[in-house]
Amino acid sequence: MAPPRNVVKIAVQMRDAIPQLIQLDQAKPLAAVLKEVCDAWSLLHSERYALQFADGHRRYITENNRMEIKNGSILCLSTAPDLEAERLLGGLQSESREGRREALRHLVLLAPDMTFAQEVISRDGLQRLGTIIEDGDDLGEVLALALRAFLELMEHGVVSWETLSIPFVRKVVCYVNMNLMDASVQPLALGLLESVTLSSPALGQLVKSEVPLDRLLVHLQVMNQQLQTKAMALLTALLQGASPAERKHMLDYLWQRNLRQFIYKNIIHSAAPLGDEMAHHLYILQALTLGLLEPRMRMPLDPYSQEQREQLQALCQAAFEPEGEPLGAGLSADRRRSLCAREFRKLGFSNSNPAQDLERVPPGLLALDNMLYFSRHAPSAYSRFVLENSSREDKHECPFARSSIQLTVLLCELLRVGEPCSETAQDFSPMFFSQDQSFHELFCVSIQLLNKTWKEMRATQEDFDKVMQVVREQLARTLALKPSSLELFRTKVNTLTYGEVLRLRQTERLHQEGTLAPPILELREKLKPELMGLIRQQRLLRLCEGTLFRKISSRRRQDKLWFCCLSPNHKVLQYGDVEEGSGPPVPESLPEQLPVADIRALLTGKDCPHVREKGSGKQNKDFCELAFSISYDHGEEEAYLNFIAPSKREMG
């Protein structure tokens, strides 16, 4: 006869004792279960003991998480969390250096457990760790362990980062700014300052004023991937917390100090693979730098601005005037204005007054910036574009100004200029770091592509929108390939001709429509059972292989990982935390289990509880598209296992 549903068969271990095999009644109070276990080993004062999961982070068993215990689980009997916290915090006061080190090692191991963390925090554990960090008597392993334990405790969100004292933050800043520091200390100090900067605007300003940008550049140039990643994390946190004017000043300075070149040569093209966290921070750096274009994108042309009138005049001069011959020299004012109006028409403005074309925002003045950049940095290509089209029949000319305005809008959309940074995205373009003025350089390539595509399509003015659709597709497809340089982008996008775009469209359409043709449908019905069996087998194999997932908190993106897979017998999901950089774990080593029979439903997108908890104000499209949850029976209640897929492909 099978045991009741709320009874699980488990093993309980204790050091220097024979393990107990017991049937745990989940309806029985945990204190009573502990009493029975202690009695079996003749241990008095069962309240001084607690049960922990034997694997993983050795989490304490509480009334809240006890339903996670499944058949076959292995638990161990250990000291109760309050007594263990008291013992380890006492060990921090030890006169023996080795005693302090040993207490810190155990603190680091147990700190990820919420139950233990609350006991430590309630006993002023953070203050005691803070004293070790502020005193800085040992700048080696003891300091590194104290910083790690402090970070782990703060990650639970029980205590706000805003409560940290200014002297404490300044001391951590000192560790970041010191030379010849222990390699294990500075990444932890940088990580702590990143959390402070992201969570407290006031303390973030302190960090910004006390950590020179040059110091972060030094850390980035050390060939230590962990140190580079944490330095980049603090750098992007400081940039995100800065005002638009401060951000522009900081980025201009970093670019002057050759940060872009260093990233391109020594991080993107490093022999070591680029980690997910570094990819995320490069995405943020790219997004913030492109964000500097937003004010120009949102600002319409001012018809009363002398500077902007001169810039428009410079476009005409670069296109139509022979060198040394000013436009309209010796003519009357009325005749000169009439001539200018005609030249603006030839440039491709829809109106004789360009201000009317450039009133549209976006792209506003950014379109004018692009046109000027093209005329100054590729003068022969610019004049050839304008003169070639102004000499064609009216209906076949490709209007330079109108095309530039629309193309600037298109590039802003494709590169998401001005959009908020995603909390999880890693979608940076290596090409962006390959040279200065990447946006304007990309425009120069794209406007010449547009002219080429216009001629391939033998387009007329009525075809303008169709041409722009093709150009959008050419640019989007090429950007998706993530070319490593602008020259490679130019080569790839120019091979994607109008004819090639048509061929790709036709292939994709046939692929979609062909599956709906009657003979195909008939054949599909015959093969469906076999195909479904193969698909089911393949998906089960993929689930058994398992996947690494990133942990995402409500406050910020985390650099911790966890792994989940289906057991070989397809009866339970096995999961647990893993260390950064380690390979997929052996399923048997994973501490947590969820029987497939307990699963209620699979939720995706906005239906997931961890998406709802983030709130609509903070929500972003990428996070929503990659989120899914498994709901399951947790005693009498419904519980959730929440995921953020590594990519859209994995999500599919």
Side-chain angles (χ1 to χ4, degrees):
M1 182 177 175
R5 184 184 175 90
N6 61 348
V7 173
V8 289
K9 295 181 178 180
I10 61 170
V12 182
Q13 299 175 335
M14 187 179 71
R15 190 174 178 180
D16 301 327
I18 299 173
Q20 298 181 39
L21 298 176
I22 66 171
Q23 291 193 11
L24 172 63
D25 185 351
Q26 293 285 33
K28 186 180 292 186
L30 201 55
V33 174
L34 267 171
K35 179 77 167 59
E36 291 176 1
V37 170
C38 289
D39 288 347
W41 277 320
S42 302
L43 298 173
L44 302 176
H45 307 293
S46 61
E47 68 277 4
R48 297 179 181 176
Y49 296 92
L51 292 171
Q52 289 176 300
F53 288 107
D55 298 321
H57 291 295
R58 301 179 71 88
R59 287 188 305 133
Y60 280 99
I61 307 296
T62 66
E63 293 291 356
N64 292 329
N65 67 10
R66 64 182 295 175
M67 298 308 295
E68 296 177 25
I69 303 172
K70 305 300 178 184
N71 276 319
S73 293
I74 300 176
L75 309 182
C76 60
L77 188 70
S78 62
T79 309
D82 55 341
L83 296 178
E84 187 68 6
E86 194 71 52
R87 182 182 75 82
L88 293 179
L89 290 175
L92 299 185
Q93 314 299 320
S94 171
E95 295 182 4
S96 161
R97 184 176 174 182
E98 185 55 42
R100 293 196 300 274
R101 184 185 289 114
E102 196 60 30
L104 283 167
R105 284 174 182 159
H106 280 87
L107 262 176
V108 168
L109 287 173
L110 292 172
D113 180 72
M114 183 62 156
T115 305
F116 177 78
Q118 288 176 321
E119 296 292 347
V120 172
I121 291 168
S122 68
R123 288 167 171 75
D124 296 329
L126 285 169
Q127 288 83 343
R128 297 194 199 184
L129 289 169
T131 300
I132 294 174
I133 294 168
E134 281 194 70
D135 289 346
D137 295 333
D138 185 329
L139 299 180
E141 186 185 4
V142 167
L143 178 58
L145 288 168
L147 283 166
R148 191 179 297 280
F150 191 92
L151 279 165
E152 290 286 1
L153 292 171
M154 290 296 292
E155 286 297 334
H156 293 290
V158 176
V159 177
S160 169
W161 290 95
E162 295 183 344
T163 62
L164 300 187
S165 70
I166 290 176
F168 174 83
V169 174
R170 281 197 168 129
K171 189 65 178 182
V172 178
V173 167
C174 286
Y175 298 140
V176 168
N177 291 339
M178 285 175 69
N179 292 319
L180 304 175
M181 194 69 194
D182 189 283
S184 63
V185 170
Q186 287 189 320
L188 292 165
L190 286 163
L192 193 152
L193 294 182
E194 179 207 1
S195 295
V196 166
T197 303
L198 288 168
S199 304
S200 170
L203 291 175
Q205 282 299 313
L206 173 65
V207 175
K208 179 176 175 293
S209 64
E210 304 249 342
V211 179
L213 291 178
D214 283 328
R215 189 63 194 164
L216 294 179
L217 290 173
V218 168
H219 290 315
L220 282 168
Q221 292 172 29
V222 175
M223 290 298 111
N224 176 323
Q225 197 171 42
Q226 185 185 23
L227 186 60
Q228 283 182 336
T229 301
K230 293 302 180 184
M232 186 65 77
L234 178 55
L235 179 60
T236 55
L238 290 171
L239 286 167
Q240 286 178 287
S243 67
E246 289 175 326
R247 186 180 301 151
K248 183 179 187 311
H249 176 74
M250 293 167 70
L251 286 168
D252 287 345
Y253 180 78
L254 292 167
W255 257 230
Q256 288 168 13
R257 296 302 304 273
N258 300 320
L259 174 63
R260 178 193 62 73
Q261 293 91 324
F262 180 81
I263 289 172
Y264 187 70
K265 292 178 182 177
N266 298 292
I267 294 179
I268 293 176
H269 291 290
S270 169
L274 194 69
D276 288 349
E277 191 181 0
M278 178 61 86
H280 174 67
H281 294 304
L282 291 180
Y283 152 79
I284 291 178
L285 186 58
Q286 174 182 305
L288 294 176
T289 306
L290 287 171
L292 297 179
L293 301 170
E294 186 179 7
R296 299 289 287 179
M297 183 182 77
R298 304 286 182 198
M299 186 183 299
L301 185 136
D302 179 4
Y304 301 105
S305 167
Q306 180 65 25
E307 179 189 4
Q308 292 169 21
R309 285 202 301 269
E310 289 173 358
Q311 289 174 335
L312 287 167
Q313 193 64 39
L315 285 175
C316 287
Q317 290 172 351
F320 303 118
E321 290 185 20
E323 190 173 349
E325 296 183 19
L327 183 68
L331 299 177
S332 67
D334 288 344
R335 176 62 179 155
R336 195 179 299 117
R337 279 194 296 271
S338 175
L339 190 58
C340 285
R342 191 179 69 190
E343 300 301 344
F344 284 136
R345 286 282 191 179
K346 283 187 177 181
L347 267 180
F349 286 100
S350 301
N351 302 278
S352 56
N353 180 4
Q356 293 176 277
D357 294 68
L358 292 167
E359 283 177 344
R360 174 185 175 188
V361 288
L365 291 177
L366 188 56
L368 179 58
D369 294 342
N370 275 335
M371 288 188 278
L372 283 168
Y373 188 92
F374 183 44
S375 70
R376 292 168 180 170
H377 292 81
S380 58
Y382 168 69
S383 58
R384 186 167 59 249
F385 186 116
V386 176
L387 295 173
E388 178 184 293
N389 283 288
S390 61
S391 63
R392 289 180 188 169
E393 296 178 33
D394 285 347
K395 65 177 183 178
H396 284 289
E397 65 181 13
C398 177
F400 171 72
R402 183 186 176 192
S403 299
S404 297
I405 292 168
Q406 190 59 40
L407 183 60
T408 303
V409 174
L410 173 57
L411 289 174
C412 288
E413 290 174 356
L414 291 175
L415 297 175
R416 300 181 178 181
V417 174
E419 292 187 18
C421 292
S422 162
E423 293 181 16
T424 59
Q426 302 165 14
D427 188 25
F428 77 95
S429 172
M431 177 181 69
F432 174 82
F433 296 95
S434 68
Q435 64 183 62
D436 294 325
Q437 303 296 338
S438 293
F439 184 83
H440 296 314
E441 289 287 344
L442 183 60
F443 171 83
C444 292
V445 174
S446 302
I447 192 68
Q448 294 174 78
L449 169 74
L450 189 151
N451 190 39
K452 173 175 170 285
T453 303
W454 185 281
K455 289 186 285 188
E456 289 171 353
M457 295 176 67
R458 299 179 181 178
T460 64
Q461 294 288 332
E462 289 77 16
D463 299 321
F464 184 84
D465 290 339
K466 293 180 182 177
V467 174
M468 292 308 303
Q469 288 173 2
V470 174
V471 171
R472 172 187 281 274
E473 193 167 339
Q474 290 171 315
L475 294 175
R477 286 180 183 271
T478 308
L479 286 170
L481 298 173
K482 295 191 178 300
S484 59
S485 69
L486 187 71
E487 282 308 311
L488 193 56
F489 176 86
R490 188 197 310 272
T491 301
K492 289 183 177 295
V493 82
N494 281 317
T495 59
L496 193 59
T497 62
Y498 174 56
E500 181 65 11
V501 170
L502 288 179
R503 189 189 68 78
L504 289 170
R505 285 178 177 177
Q506 185 178 21
T507 301
E508 291 165 0
R509 186 165 56 249
L510 287 173
H511 179 72
Q512 292 171 354
E513 294 176 357
T515 58
L516 302 178
I520 300 295
L521 287 174
E522 185 179 345
L523 181 61
R524 236 169 77 181
E525 284 301 313
K526 289 182 180 179
L527 295 175
K528 188 173 181 179
E530 183 179 350
L531 289 172
M532 292 302 291
L534 288 171
I535 291 170
R536 182 175 181 277
Q537 185 179 7
Q538 187 271 337
R539 290 184 175 177
L540 284 171
L541 286 171
R542 183 70 185 90
L543 287 170
C544 291
E545 288 174 8
T547 304
L548 281 171
F549 297 94
R550 288 215 164 259
K551 284 193 170 183
I552 305 293
S553 74
S554 60
R555 182 176 57 79
R556 67 184 181 97
R557 184 177 183 276
Q558 302 294 313
D559 57 357
K560 296 184 178 180
L561 298 168
W562 67 294
F563 184 82
C564 184
C565 66
L566 184 66
S567 65
N569 63 6
H570 306 162
K571 290 187 177 181
V572 294
L573 287 177
Q574 298 171 293
Y575 59 96
D577 293 343
V578 297
E579 294 297 325
E580 178 80 38
S582 63
V586 178
E588 291 76 16
S589 68
L590 296 170
E592 315 293 347
Q593 291 188 348
L594 169 61
V596 173
D598 289 350
I599 294 176
R600 291 187 182 184
L602 175 67
L603 309 175
T604 59
K606 294 180 180 179
D607 295 329
C608 299
H610 56 313
V611 171
R612 294 197 299 268
E613 286 167 7
K614 288 178 68 62
S616 59
K618 294 183 179 179
Q619 191 48 258
N620 59 71
K621 184 180 177 183
D622 292 331
F623 186 91
C624 190
E625 286 180 349
L626 298 177
F628 66 99
S629 299
I630 291 174
S631 71
Y632 62 94
D633 291 326
H634 184 71
E636 299 299 323
E637 300 178 355
E638 183 178 17
Y640 300 93
L641 199 57
N642 298 318
F643 300 80
I644 298 295
S647 66
K648 291 181 181 178
R649 182 176 179 274
E650 293 283 347
M651 182 69 176

